[in-house]
Amino acid sequence: MTKAKQPAATAPTEAGLRRALIDVCRRMNALGINQGTSGNASVRLAGDRFLITPSGVAYDAMTPAQIPTMTLGGRWHGVRRPSSEWRFHRDILAARPDAGAVIHTHGPLATTLAVLRRDIPAFHYMVAVAGGDSIRCAPYATFGTQALSDLALAALEDRRACLLANHGMIAIGATLDKALALAVEVEALAGMYLRACAIGEPALLCAAQMAEALELFRTYGTPAFPDADLVHAGR
């Protein structure tokens, strides 16, 4: 007896991505990692196009038709002006083929570290979830400027998240859901690090320990994750 063939996964439509963008923004606020209209998000479309949240529109009132479309060349189409942070969304999507979505939040915990202009060091192995042995804090630049975009790109080199001095946080992912999950994780790590610093100086993992964690994260959640003692006995 032959197994029924599973239907191939279909790529989300532009209409679906517009709805998903609104949903993610509402979830950012509901999760407490953003507030008001301070954050923004974008998602890649086919070719050199992407969707980005409009400037100054409350997420609860946002409609799919209000979301502008932009090109990597900086042109936009739509009825509402793109977020003032369109430059770093455009530049990250142009420079990082691994990024299908970009989320920017003003989460209270990550932003507290950002106003202290402090990186999140290797105090916990989960720092590796952002792709390196630290989560860097980019130097300060005025919001919406090319200078801020350039500094954010540098802080994101070999990383999937960074803090922005006196500003907030950026997280990138292959999808909107993955970018949001990473933003939540960074906010949680920021909170743990702040609490640890309030008590004393956190012990940091060494380079070899973080390298081991980073290697494990490469296959985490997949059948290739190394564990010789775990034997799959079938479904």
Side-chain angles (χ1 to χ4, degrees):
M1 184 175 177
T2 59
K3 289 185 179 180
K5 193 171 182 180
Q6 295 294 320
T10 57
T13 64
E14 181 173 329
L17 288 173
R18 287 175 181 272
R19 292 190 297 269
L21 197 60
I22 295 170
D23 179 62
V24 158
C25 290
R26 291 174 179 173
R27 286 159 63 196
M28 287 190 322
N29 284 15
L31 289 164
I33 65 169
N34 193 66
Q35 50 282 321
T37 61
S38 57
N40 34 75
S42 64
V43 62
R44 192 188 296 275
L45 296 174
D48 72 339
R49 298 162 62 244
F50 63 96
L51 298 173
I52 185 167
T53 48
S55 180
V57 179
Y59 298 141
D60 286 342
M62 190 182 298
T63 65
Q66 291 174 320
I67 296 173
T69 306
M70 288 199 70
T71 70
L72 297 180
R75 293 180 178 273
W76 71 278
H77 304 269
V79 296
R80 296 300 299 246
R81 185 185 181 91
S83 164
S84 59
E85 301 293 11
W86 66 267
R87 287 176 178 81
F88 67 61
H89 286 272
R90 185 267 315 268
D91 292 348
I92 291 168
L93 292 171
R96 296 288 296 266
D98 58 317
V102 180
I103 285 177
H104 168 53
T105 77
H106 290 189
L109 301 172
T111 304
T112 299
L113 279 180
V115 301
L116 293 169
R117 303 191 180 189
R118 296 184 68 167
D119 298 348
I120 303 178
F123 81 104
H124 192 291
Y125 75 86
M126 281 297 291
V127 167
V129 76
D133 60 4
S134 68
I135 298 171
R136 303 184 187 107
C137 183
Y140 179 75
T142 303
F143 75 92
T145 62
Q146 188 60 47
L148 177 62
S149 180
D150 294 343
L151 292 168
L153 273 181
L156 284 168
E157 186 175 356
D158 300 321
R159 301 285 193 276
R160 290 185 291 276
C162 73
L163 307 182
L164 303 174
N166 303 87
H167 190 153
M169 174 247 290
I170 294 173
I172 68 177
T175 64
L176 280 166
D177 283 343
K178 289 182 177 180
L180 179 63
L182 179 56
V184 169
E185 198 67 59
V186 172
E187 182 75 359
L189 287 165
M192 285 185 272
Y193 184 55
L194 282 165
R195 293 182 187 98
C197 288
I199 298 170
E201 189 63 31
L204 301 184
L205 299 176
C206 70
Q209 290 167 327
M210 284 302 291
E212 182 179 24
L214 283 162
E215 180 60 26
L216 290 172
F217 268 113
R218 286 181 60 250
T219 54
Y220 180 74
T222 75
F225 187 79
D227 192 338
D229 296 326
L230 186 65
V231 179
H232 183 210
R235 295 186 178 183

